[in-house]
């Protein structure tokens, strides 16, 4: 039996149908207008340079007295956690009775080129934590770190353990050489000093290009053909465009912070070796003694599960839990499956540790 | 008064051209002849381009970008169908071969993405195959390197040397880029072999273009991953980026020299200012924090002074005799 049985007539019909769908879809696309992001009302409660600290307005009775501060990565934009009403991890956390804050790092420009990890972790992040502590009259808060923001949260928790009551890390790289980590492999032979000395800040476009390079055939081709099948539905088209907007909304990276992150974390794998220094202090993960909930994605192509799973070996806490989500790096926040699994698990876990 | 003629609904023109294209093609197909890129095709393509241009402006940037991507993928998929059907018409057998042009399409898309990040256009690579480059290296490049090794002379010696260094770095980058591009050379044939393997493993035949396309993407991603997850590729990538950065860095330094000589602000000077500004900002933050602590201490001191003043204003009294309870406590604490 031949492995391909496509008659010319069938092929013709399929391509013709595709053309019709594409044409209809493009018409829908042309009528979508501006795409809004961020579904939940929020207020800026603190600003410094380009950073804005947001407080989400409660959607239910707040049952947990300890607020949660979401620390997003420097790459891409934090509105991914509140992309749209039915794809909002923030909304689900609020409905679960949590008081939620979010750090928006902003878009660094040339004036921010010399921002270091010390400025981000011991500076901006620490001052945001202080704001929450003052607002709520408490000595410590709950931290929820996302991806690189999870790594920052880990560093912060190790450097300021008294200010973190509970730590949640999601798709967070810890062992940067574990698993098949393409990003880690690709930067292994880069002269990062030369890169930063030449570029100053690292363009967001360069990061986009790198991420596309992880799965070029799916991300530059197949994804768009899949879209054609649903594009005649304005709701689905709008959802897709919104996601697309987020995917390519990549801020430039402050040069010095990027330099240190790539050299110390990716190239030297210093976090698990206790060799990373942020400001004057060494980051010792054994000082992470508060309860830790580590959530990672089984099909993560950016942060392999092994890179996150390693956390258990290095933290000093006796209260460690892990959740492996059956999905990918982004799906863990925006898929309908994640909305049912992740926020309730976080709310439950925090409620047991008030 | 003559009413303004209603503008044709957008897309109408394209739909009509599309219809004519497909009808023409279907006619050819009906005669089981090779469907060429017939006379309707350019018209269709041109019409689509016009239509795209027509409707692109009013769209928000995100939609426009997506629109372009979709249109591009649509064209590729239609080419896929056209080529597959052509092959099927010719051979009436399995389409395991003869689609080399299509097999390159996903890779072409990726090449364009890659080349957009390069200082040279993607086609620049196409015209310089590694073997050709090696031949060049034997002749022209050797001469060029000999020329570059001649020491600079006279008043402009430094400028001559910088110019030569720029050429040397450009050559080095070109070589590194060729090596990097060379690592992808086998991806096409290997993907085709992988696709054939996957097709052979299937119990059911593939009956739709889309299923075949998906299999092709799976095979491509597998082969691509195996390639880019190697140390060899990582080294080639590192060499390419490092060579590019060295070239850009040198070029920027040369520009700095020129604009500095013209009395204009240089990148180096700006960088110094940025660093100092950041250092000053850190100091300001630290000072503010200390100032806050000092203010807090001042408040505490003022409070203590008030308490002291209050205590001083009270008459001195005899200390009360210790109660039996406090004795017990003291005793307990001693025991402890």
């Amino acid at each position: 039996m031949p492995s391909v049985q496509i008659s010319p007539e069938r092929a013709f019909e399929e391509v013709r149908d595709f053309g019709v769908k594409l044409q209809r879809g493009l018409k829908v696309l042309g009528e979508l207008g501006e795409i809004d992001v961020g579904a939940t009302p929020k207020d800026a409660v603190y600003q410094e340079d380009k950073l804005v600290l947001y407080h989400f307005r409660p959607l239910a009775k707040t049952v947990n007295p300890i607020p949660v501060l979401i620390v997003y990565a420097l790459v891409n934009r934090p509105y991914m956690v509140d992309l749209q009403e039915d794809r909002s991890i923030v909304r689900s956390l609020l409905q679960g009775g949590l008081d939620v804050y979010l750090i928006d790092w902003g878009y660094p420009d040339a004036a921010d080129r010399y921002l270091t990890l010390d400025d981000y972790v011991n500076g901006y992040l620490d001052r945001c934590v202080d704001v929450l502590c003052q607002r709520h009259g408490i000595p410590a808060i709950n931290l929820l770190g996302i991806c690189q923001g999870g790594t920052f949260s880990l560093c912060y928790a190790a450097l300021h353990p008294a200010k973190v009551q509970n730590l949640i890390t999601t798709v967070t790289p810890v062992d940067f050489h574990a698993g098949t980590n393409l990003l880690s492999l690709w930067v292994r032979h880069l002269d990062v000093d030369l890169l930063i000395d030449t570029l100053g800040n690292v363009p967001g476009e360069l990061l986009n290009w790198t991420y596309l390079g992880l799965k070029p055939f799916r991300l530059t081709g197949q994804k768009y053909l899949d879209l054609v099948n649903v594009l005649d539905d304005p709701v689905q088209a709008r959802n897709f465009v919104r996601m697309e907007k987020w995917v390519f909304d990549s801020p430039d990276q402050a040069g010095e912070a990027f330099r240190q992150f790539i050299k110390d974390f990716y190239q030297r794998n210093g976090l698990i070796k206790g060799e990373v220094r942020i400001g004057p202090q060494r980051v010792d993960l054994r000082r992470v003694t508060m309860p830790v909930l580590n959530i990672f994605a089984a099909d993560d192509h950016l942060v392999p599960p092994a890179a996150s799973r390693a956390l258990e070996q290095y933290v000093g806490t006796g209260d460690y839990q892990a959740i492996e989500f059956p999905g990918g790096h982004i799906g863990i926040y925006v898929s309908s499956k994640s909305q049912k699994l992740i926020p309730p698990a976080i709310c439950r876990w925090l409620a047991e540790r008030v | 008064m003559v009413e303004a003629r209603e503008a044709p609904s957008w897309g109408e023109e394209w739909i009509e051209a599309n219809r004519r294209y497909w009808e023409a093609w279907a006619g050819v197909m009906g005669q089981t002849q090779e469907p060429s890129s017939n006379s309707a095709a350019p018209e269709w393509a041109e019409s689509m381009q016009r239509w795209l241009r027509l409707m692109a402006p009013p769209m928000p940037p995100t939609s426009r970008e997506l629109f372009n991507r979709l249109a591009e993928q649509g064209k590729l998929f239609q080419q896929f169908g056209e080529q597959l059907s052509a092959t099927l018409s010719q051979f009436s057998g399995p389409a395991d071969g003869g689609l080399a042009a299509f097999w390159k399409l996903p890779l072409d898309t990726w090449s364009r993405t890659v080349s957009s990040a390069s200082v040279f256009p993607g086609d620049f690579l196409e015209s310089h195959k590694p073997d050709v480059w090696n031949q060049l290296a034997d002749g022209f490049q050797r001469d060029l390197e000999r020329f570059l090794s001649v020491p600079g002379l006279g008043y402009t010696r430094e400028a001559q040397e910088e110019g030569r260094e720029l050429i040397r770095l450009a050559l080095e980058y070109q070589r590194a880029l060729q090596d990097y591009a060379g690592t992808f050379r086998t991806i096409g044939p290997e993907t085709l072999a992988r696709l054939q393997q996957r097709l052979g493993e299937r119990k059911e035949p593939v009956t739709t273009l889309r299923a075949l396309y998906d299999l092709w993407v799976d095979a491509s991603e597998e082969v691509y991953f195996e390639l880019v997850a190697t140390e060899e590729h990582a080294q080639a990538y590192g060499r390419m980026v490092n060579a590019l950065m060295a070239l850009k860095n040198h070029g920027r330094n040369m520009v700095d020299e020129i604009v500095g000589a013209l009395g204009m602000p240089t990148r180096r000077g700006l960088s110094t200012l940025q660093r100092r500004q950041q250092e000053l900002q850190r100091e300001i933050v630290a000072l503010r924090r200390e100032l806050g602590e000092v203010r807090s201490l001042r408040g505490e001191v003022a409070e203590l002074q008030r308490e002291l003043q209050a205590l001083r204003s009270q008459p001195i009294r005899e200390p009360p005799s210790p109660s039996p309870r406090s004795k017990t406590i003291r005793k307990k604490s001693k025991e402890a």
Side-chain angles (χ1 to χ4, degrees):
Chain A
M1 184 171 60
S3 50
V4 179
Q5 290 182 1
I6 308 173
S7 67
E9 292 76 17
R10 175 71 193 267
F12 164 69
E13 278 173 24
E14 200 177 340
V15 175
R16 186 194 55 198
D17 291 348
F18 176 83
V20 171
K21 275 187 195 170
L22 177 64
Q23 188 274 325
R24 280 194 202 133
L26 292 178
K27 184 179 176 191
V28 171
L29 197 61
E31 292 168 351
L32 284 182
E34 286 295 333
I35 302 295
D36 55 328
V37 290
T40 312
K42 59 185 184 293
D43 303 297
V45 294
Y46 176 72
Q47 295 191 23
E48 183 183 345
D49 301 334
K50 296 186 175 70
L51 173 147
V52 182
L53 174 63
Y54 288 106
H55 177 230
F56 289 94
R57 293 183 197 161
L59 296 175
K61 189 184 172 194
T62 303
V63 292
N64 195 317
I66 312 295
V68 177
L69 175 59
I70 298 178
V71 183
Y72 199 76
L74 300 177
V75 294
N76 284 108
R77 300 283 296 138
Y79 57 78
M80 194 265 281
V81 294
D82 186 36
L83 201 60
Q84 61 189 60
E85 205 168 305
D86 57 345
R87 290 186 190 191
S88 168
I89 205 159
V90 163
R91 202 172 182 82
S92 304
L93 292 175
L94 290 170
Q95 285 166 341
L98 295 183
D99 202 359
V100 183
Y101 290 79
L102 170 73
I103 294 177
D104 180 345
W105 302 109
Y107 293 87
D109 60 27
D112 302 303
R113 182 236 190 280
Y114 285 96
L115 278 174
T116 61
L117 289 187
D118 186 28
D119 294 318
Y120 276 109
V121 175
N122 290 322
Y124 291 141
L125 176 52
D126 187 42
R127 288 190 283 278
C128 286
V129 172
D130 285 347
V131 169
L132 263 72
C133 289
Q134 280 168 18
R135 278 172 68 96
H136 292 263
I138 50 175
I141 63 155
N142 293 327
L143 265 190
L144 193 164
I146 293 176
C147 190
Q148 183 193 32
T151 311
F152 284 8
S153 301
L154 264 176
C155 294
Y156 183 82
L159 297 171
H160 307 270
K163 290 185 178 181
V164 183
Q165 175 143 336
N166 299 294
L167 175 65
I168 301 157
T169 51
T170 59
V171 290
T172 294
V174 179
D175 182 345
F176 286 74
H177 291 179
T180 310
N181 192 334
L182 280 187
L183 289 178
S184 174
L185 185 63
W186 288 353
V187 299
R188 207 71 60 84
H189 300 286
L190 286 193
D191 183 344
V192 183
D193 289 329
L194 179 61
L195 182 88
I196 301 304
D197 292 346
T198 305
L199 297 180
N201 287 344
V202 175
E205 275 298 313
L206 187 66
L207 299 180
N208 283 341
W209 171 67
T210 307
Y211 296 144
L212 287 178
L214 294 170
K215 289 188 175 182
F217 298 90
R218 284 198 211 297
L219 300 178
T220 65
Q222 191 184 38
K223 177 172 95 166
Y224 299 103
L225 289 187
D226 286 339
L227 172 64
V228 171
N229 288 328
V230 298
L231 201 55
D232 53 353
D233 175 355
V235 174
Q236 294 207 54
R238 187 172 284 274
N239 289 351
F240 188 95
V241 177
R242 191 178 284 113
M243 193 68 207
E244 194 78 346
K245 178 183 171 123
W246 176 80
V247 165
F248 292 105
D249 191 356
S250 296
D252 294 349
Q253 301 296 297
E256 290 309 310
F258 188 86
R259 185 200 304 262
Q260 192 185 352
F261 196 70
I262 298 297
K263 285 174 79 172
D264 290 355
F265 291 79
Y266 271 101
Q267 292 184 333
R268 295 183 187 134
N269 202 15
L271 184 60
I272 59 169
K273 296 176 188 167
E275 292 173 357
V276 169
R277 295 192 84 86
I278 294 187
Q281 290 175 281
R282 194 170 61 84
V283 177
D284 182 355
L285 290 180
R286 286 172 302 184
R287 294 190 71 207
V288 178
T289 49
M290 69 292 299
V292 174
L293 175 62
N294 187 19
I295 303 171
F296 49 89
D299 305 319
D300 196 329
H301 70 292
L302 287 165
V303 179
S308 302
R309 203 182 281 122
L311 180 61
E312 185 176 11
Q313 300 170 49
Y314 300 102
V315 282
T317 182
D319 182 357
Y320 174 92
Q321 271 189 35
I323 297 175
E324 182 167 320
F325 174 75
H329 191 78
I330 310 301
I332 198 168
Y333 304 106
V334 299
S335 70
S336 53
K337 189 165 50 177
S338 77
Q339 303 303 317
K340 290 175 194 149
L341 285 175
I342 303 298
I346 291 173
C347 292
R348 265 197 313 275
W349 187 81
L350 286 176
E352 291 161 5
R353 288 162 182 81
V354 174
Chain B
M1 188 179 140
V2 180
E3 279 187 18
R5 192 179 147 206
E6 195 182 338
S9 67
W10 57 268
E12 203 173 277
E13 185 188 15
W14 181 71
I15 295 165
E16 179 55 25
N18 203 1
R19 185 185 63 76
R20 275 185 278 133
Y21 168 68
W22 287 115
E23 279 176 2
W25 195 40
V28 174
M29 294 286 286
Q31 295 161 30
T32 60
Q33 288 171 2
E34 181 181 349
S36 62
S37 298
N38 56 45
S39 57
E43 186 189 352
W44 168 78
E46 193 189 324
S47 185
M48 184 168 181
Q49 287 304 323
R50 274 210 305 277
W51 180 65
L52 292 175
R53 279 197 300 274
L54 184 73
M55 73 155 297
M59 298 174 103
T62 313
S63 296
R64 196 181 307 144
E65 199 168 313
L66 178 60
F67 181 91
N68 292 336
R69 285 171 200 272
L70 272 175
E72 179 70 13
Q73 288 307 313
K75 278 191 281 184
L76 294 181
F77 192 68
Q78 286 175 337
Q79 283 175 38
F80 174 35
E82 187 179 341
Q83 292 198 21
L84 185 70
S85 295
T87 309
L88 293 170
S89 300
Q90 281 177 322
F91 301 108
S92 301
D96 291 350
L99 290 171
F102 173 72
W103 299 136
K104 285 177 67 183
L105 290 176
L107 193 62
D108 284 349
T109 307
W110 173 233
S111 298
R112 278 195 291 277
T113 312
V114 171
S115 66
S116 68
S118 167
V119 290
F120 298 117
D123 291 347
F124 188 82
L125 292 177
E126 286 296 310
S127 60
H128 293 86
K129 304 296 180 196
D131 48 345
V132 177
W133 180 255
N134 289 338
Q135 286 169 15
L136 275 177
D138 290 342
F140 168 72
Q141 200 187 355
R142 198 168 44 229
D143 293 342
L144 189 57
E145 281 175 355
R146 198 178 300 138
F147 162 72
L148 293 174
S149 65
V150 175
L153 296 168
Y155 180 69
T156 59
R157 183 190 57 79
E158 208 169 304
Q160 289 171 39
E161 282 177 1
E162 283 187 356
R164 283 180 183 150
E165 178 66 2
L166 187 73
I167 297 170
R168 192 188 65 75
L169 290 171
L171 286 172
E172 206 164 292
Y173 168 63
Q174 185 60 23
R175 204 178 292 132
L177 191 58
Q178 289 299 316
D179 289 347
Y180 175 70
T183 63
F184 289 106
R185 252 183 307 170
T186 56
I187 199 167
E190 281 183 24
T191 301
L192 194 55
R194 185 67 55 90
L195 178 67
Q196 283 171 328
Q197 184 191 332
R198 291 280 172 274
L199 286 169
E201 288 165 1
R202 286 174 66 94
K203 288 177 184 162
E204 298 294 320
V206 176
T207 55
T208 65
L209 283 180
R210 183 54 211 261
L212 188 60
Y213 174 84
D214 287 344
L215 271 180
W216 165 249
V217 169
D218 289 346
S220 301
E221 288 291 4
E222 272 180 37
V223 171
Y224 173 81
F225 181 82
E226 287 164 14
L227 181 94
V228 298
T230 60
E231 176 66 18
E232 184 196 358
H233 180 270
Q235 284 186 9
Y237 177 71
R239 277 198 302 274
M240 186 267 289
V241 175
N242 294 342
L244 175 60
M245 289 305 126
L247 173 63
K248 282 197 167 192
N249 199 30
H250 188 76
R252 285 184 175 179
N253 287 341
M254 286 179 72
V255 172
D256 252 16
E257 293 293 328
I258 296 165
V259 295
L262 293 171
M264 292 165 70
T266 62
R267 187 173 181 271
R268 209 176 289 144
L270 192 62
S271 184
T272 304
L273 284 175
Q274 288 165 345
R275 188 189 298 114
R276 285 188 188 153
Q277 174 258 337
Q278 191 62 47
E279 285 165 0
L280 282 172
Q281 188 150 352
R282 272 184 217 120
E283 281 179 29
I284 289 169
V285 168
L287 286 171
R288 273 190 191 144
R289 187 172 282 241
E290 277 182 33
L291 192 61
E293 286 169 8
V294 168
R295 278 189 187 137
S296 168
L297 284 172
R298 272 189 198 152
E300 281 181 38
V301 168
E303 183 64 25
L304 286 170
Q305 279 176 336
R306 274 195 295 276
E307 280 181 27
L308 187 62
Q309 200 64 37
L311 286 169
R312 278 180 182 158
S313 62
Q314 286 175 7
I316 298 167
R317 286 182 295 187
E318 285 291 316
S321 57
S323 67
R325 182 180 160 77
S326 62
K327 270 182 188 169
T328 312
I329 290 167
R330 222 176 280 135
K331 191 177 175 185
K332 267 189 179 174
S333 65
K334 273 183 185 170
E335 281 169 2

